[in-house]
Every structure is written in C-alpha cells, then in structure tokens.
Amino acid sequence: MLTFLYSMLVLSGLMLIVLVLLQAGKGAGAGLSIGGGMSQAMFGGSGGRGFFIKLTAVVAAVFMVLCMVLARVSSKGSQDYKGVMAGAAAPQAPAESPAAPVAADTLPGTAPAQPAKK
C-alpha cells in the first residue's frame, strides 16, 4: 500500500510539472504549446487554457492530499521517538571551579601593569 502511495505521489508530481510547463503565459495562448491549429479544433477557441488550469488544480490537489496522507502514515510510528540524543550520556560538570576571578597580574608569565608616562 505504501509503495502504491509513493508511486502515485511521484506520478502526480511529474504530471504537475508537465502541466505547468505546458501552460503558456497570460499573453500567449496554450494552443502554441501543444500543436497550434490542432488544439483550436480539439479544445475550442480558448486553446485549452481553461482545461489546463482545471487539470492543474486537480493534480495539485491530489498531490497535496497524497503528501498529507503519507505524512500521517509516516508519523504514526513516531510516538516513542525521543530524539537523536536520547541515548547519549549527559556531559559531566567540571570537578572544581574557582571561587573568585583571578587578577591578570597574578597569573604566571604576565608582567605587572606599568603606569602611563607623561
């Protein structure tokens, strides 16, 4: 069943791509994209523009419903999912931390601050 749904999703996606590419812009008629005069006789004076718009809407709706169904099916088994870090050990805190910050002059290898000369 899942294989059938995935194959229908791929098929409807490819159909959607082809239908969108077949449609011409608002200024041009869709008849030029599928064979000129033949489309005028087959689809009427509009050249199939309305037909392609409706067919694209139907295929897009089918694609959207298939996406939602597949998302729901795939999320059913994820009730027990705790995340990728669920089995990882927690980091350990440092053994001891300094009680007060250390002044820069008392660090080894540093020279005491010199007063500015005038």
Side-chain angles (χ1 to χ4, degrees):
M1 178 69 178
L2 201 57
T3 306
F4 174 73
L5 288 175
Y6 277 119
S7 61
M8 291 301 295
L9 181 73
V10 170
L11 184 65
S12 64
L14 290 174
M15 274 183 65
L16 192 59
I17 291 170
V18 168
L19 284 171
V20 167
L21 290 176
L22 274 178
Q23 293 180 20
K26 285 192 174 195
L32 295 176
S33 62
I34 60 170
M38 175 71 174
S39 67
Q40 294 292 334
M42 186 175 9
F43 293 117
S46 68
R49 183 174 171 89
F51 172 75
F52 279 128
I53 290 173
K54 290 176 186 173
L55 187 61
T56 304
V58 168
V59 173
V62 168
F63 183 79
M64 187 173 56
V65 168
L66 281 172
C67 285
M68 288 189 289
V69 167
L70 285 169
R72 180 70 180 149
V73 167
S74 68
S75 70
K76 279 192 177 186
S78 66
Q79 281 14 347
D80 300 328
Y81 182 68
K82 303 294 184 212
V84 290
M85 298 299 290
Q92 299 296 323
E96 63 180 62
S97 60
V102 179
D105 323 359
T106 61
L107 292 175
T110 58
Q114 301 286 333
K117 294 183 182 179
K118 289 189 178 184

